[in-house]
Amino acid sequence: MHAAAYSHFGLPYRYVALRVAPGEMGAALDHLTHLGYRGVNITVPLKSEALAYCSSVDDFARRVDAVNTIDLRTRGGFNTDGAGFLRTIQDFPGEVLVCGAGGSARAIVGSMSLAGRRLRIWNRTISRAEQLAAEWPNATVEPELRLRDASTVVNATAATLGGEGLNLDWQNGRSDLVAYDLMYQTEPGPFLRAATKHGFRTMDGLPMLAAQGALSFRFWLADEIGDADPYPEMLDAVTRPKT
Ligand code: NAP
């Protein structure tokens, strides 16, 4: 999706994937800076270590203890997961049931809370949901996995990765419920399949992937693309059927 946006804006850059072991991030990023890399995205499990590397970090990234975007020229760190997710959920107003309290849940709960959304948080390990809810206004803990009045249910757990669904009371969902799985894969996982079976609208994690990527892109390259928004090209690149 970054390549599609470079091509759209006529920029001569490349986006590459590199594996870095925990504990080696500082040396790796110093080396990339030396080689002339402009910026990096960081993914699990290195987002906290990335925060420690940065000389300046935006308030949101500090609050969620995760940096996923660094400008290597300034060593400035940023988190685009929260704002990226928020962009994708704007069309779905109302109460949100968030399932999960890991890294991605921290970012999406924080961004929705700051935007004034009403949230309930359920997590397999309830103490983590309690801790997360205590950090943000408008967020409460849901001890049982119940839809109640939710207009959106977000699966921010890693259950789909293991081929598992969530034991939700789908039969009690509102007719306008949207089931949103942060995970993306070629075929819908058990969570989205169950929602579809019960007649609900669904959404996977690809729009969030594109939206957080577009914010990273702008963080590095705003001086070259002005006010332009790379999101449409990036979304198209990740959702276009592969030939
Ligand atoms: P994480 O930090 O490892 O957190 C995992 C969460 O899943 C925890 O809340 C954990 O509960 C829960 N969990 C794990 N297995 C479970 C199961 N079998 N049943 C119920 N809960 C389970 O992971 P993460 O980084 O937040 O990622 C979560 C998901 O979001 C992944 O599928 C990832 O691919 C996706 N994601 C998507 C995007 C995007 O751009 N679309 C961005 C980031 C992440 P406990 O606390 O009880 O262990």
Side-chain angles (χ1 to χ4, degrees), residues 100-104 123-125 128 156-158 164 182-184 205 209:
S104 57
N123 192 49
R124 184 176 62 179
T125 310
R128 295 184 78 194
T157 74
E164 290 177 50
L182 293 195
M183 174 84 188
Y184 44 87
L209 177 72

Side-chain angles (χ1 to χ4, degrees), residues 62-86:
R62 196 170 294 287
R63 274 192 82 172
V64 300
D65 189 32
V67 157
N68 77 333
T69 307
I70 299 177
D71 185 331
L72 291 173
R73 296 165 303 179
T74 60
R75 220 160 147 164
F78 195 51
N79 181 301
T80 66
D81 287 328
F85 170 81
L86 199 59

Side-chain angles (χ1 to χ4, degrees), residues 95-97 120 147-153 173-174 176-177:
E95 185 184 273
V96 181
L97 172 63
R120 284 184 288 124
L147 287 166
R148 303 188 204 281
D149 201 33
S151 57
T152 308
V153 53
R174 290 163 47 137
D176 59 350
L177 179 76

Side-chain angles (χ1 to χ4, degrees), residues 168-175 177 191-201:
L168 272 156
D169 57 337
W170 294 108
Q171 68 285 0
N172 296 329
R174 290 163 47 137
S175 59
L177 179 76
F191 172 80
L192 292 185
R193 286 204 306 272
T196 303
K197 193 174 132 206
H198 287 85
F200 298 118
R201 267 200 299 170

Side-chain angles (χ1 to χ4, degrees), residues 121-134:
I121 306 168
W122 172 88
N123 192 49
R124 184 176 62 179
T125 310
I126 191 165
S127 57
R128 295 184 78 194
E130 287 167 346
Q131 199 181 333
L132 182 53

Side-chain angles (χ1 to χ4, degrees), residues 18-20 22 25 41-49 66-68 81 102-104 161:
L18 300 170
R19 187 182 295 275
V20 173
M25 159 154 308
N41 280 134
I42 314 287
T43 191
V44 279
L46 299 171
K47 292 182 183 180
S48 207
E49 199 176 327
V67 157
N68 77 333
D81 287 328
S104 57
L161 275 175

